[in-house]
Amino acid sequence: MADEPLVLGIETSCDETGVGIVRGHTLLADAVASSVDEHARYGGVVPEVASRAHLEAMVPTVERALKDAGVAASDLDGVAVTAGPGLAGALLVGVSAAKAYAYALGKPLYGVNHLASHICVDQLEHGALPEPTMALLVSGGHSSLLLSSDITSDVRPLGATIDDAAGEAFDKVARVLNLGFPGGPVIDRYAREGDPEAIAFPRGLTGPRDAPYDFSFSGLKTAVARWIEAKRSAGEEVPVADVAASFQEAVTDVLTRKAVRACRDEGVEHLMIGGGVAANSRLRAMARARCEAAGITLRVPRPKLCTDNGAMVAALGAEMVARDRAPSDWDLSADSSLPVTEPHVPGVSHSGASGHGHTHGHSHDHVHETSAENLYS
Ligand code: KG4
Ligand code: ZN
């Protein structure tokens, strides 16, 4: 519908320069430039390399998105951008670009939360998000269970990883198997040829006294590495497909079990799964089966919308406009540790419209590098 908000979204929190354009719940363009190949030889994302790549890709990617969508920049109702969480230097490129576009075009600016965007993107695939929705977000940087009754204003964290993110575990196991980076897609492929029950790898934090919704994948990663090491030092061949399948089974078992339990405990009938790991074929199949058995409706966007992209940011921006949320101020900063409970960063001059009582400063000295450190370990 032509009266739905037309929003451009910019995403630069990690290694993808994403620019999306949506009208309400309709995807018009999803342009992505990735620097993943430049990081491959380091086995993880290098923040400075990512920032430089964003800078180079930004203008061409915005122009490509506008062309793909067949809209003029002057027709936009707003410009949305990931304000955090993510790599500080990488976020800054997106925030600066979004400010420049919004200011030059005379459009409102919406600094939005990367995690809430991962949830909101499903509106482009399956229509309006049910309220409430349970979200399982699994990527290289995060693994969380979130409950949202309104994606523009209410996101409640139920649990998260206490060590490695799910995608990080895939990447590290792939590295031990010498399968390259990123590890998720290649492990997914090998696992299809393997036996998921060949090796009984541990299911972290599933004991009766463990936090019911938190995750831990570092013990699993270590168990896999030790198992491989034992084979190698015994001079035996490592059965790559079986290791991949058994590891993948352990991760997806825990993720789906906890997500379904959270839905049941909270009386929520809709589960969405997002983030790069949601592309995993076994995770999708297992979630489908377990949700069906529990009477839960499952929503998983197509893989391209699950990995980092600009369309998800535009989707949340459009929802902010549709629900009349306050735009951000021109001094919006990148906030590498923006709390998940803040779906967007309303301007101080408009803060009456927000119930968040923004007290922590969004000044530049608040910006610091955090998320990338453990990628080197
Ligand atoms: O959401 P995303 O693109 O970026 C982050 O915010 O991290 O997720 C990337 C992560 C990587 O760790 C990658 O290995 C993982 O998602 N991934 C997968 C699959 N495709 C991507 N993990 C498991 N199975 C897949 N098919
Ligand atoms: Zn992400």
Side-chain angles (χ1 to χ4, degrees), residues 35-57:
S35 62
V36 70
D37 295 342
E38 294 173 52
H39 306 287
R41 68 191 170 107
Y42 303 105
V45 176
V46 183
E48 286 309 319
V49 174
S51 306
R52 172 60 61 103
H54 287 311
L55 206 52
E56 285 167 0

Side-chain angles (χ1 to χ4, degrees), residues 11 13-16 45 114-115 118 138-142 165-172 174 181-189 192 247-248 252 274-283 303 306-309 312 375:
E11 153 63 38
S13 69
C14 194
D15 59 339
E16 245 95 47
V45 176
H114 181 81
L115 299 178
H118 266 304
V138 274
S139 77
H142 28 260
E168 212 178 332
F170 272 92
D171 294 338
K172 287 178 176 173
F181 173 85
V186 57
I187 287 191
D188 196 345
R189 259 195 324 276
R192 282 170 215 203
F247 159 74
Q248 179 175 276
T252 53
V277 182
N280 185 267
S281 60
R282 182 63 184 135
L283 178 62
C306 285
T307 51
D308 290 352
N309 63 78
M312 68 189 207
L375 285 171

Side-chain angles (χ1 to χ4, degrees), residues 113-124:
N113 190 302
H114 181 81
L115 299 178
S117 302
H118 266 304
I119 302 175
C120 196
V121 75
D122 194 48
Q123 299 204 134
L124 304 178

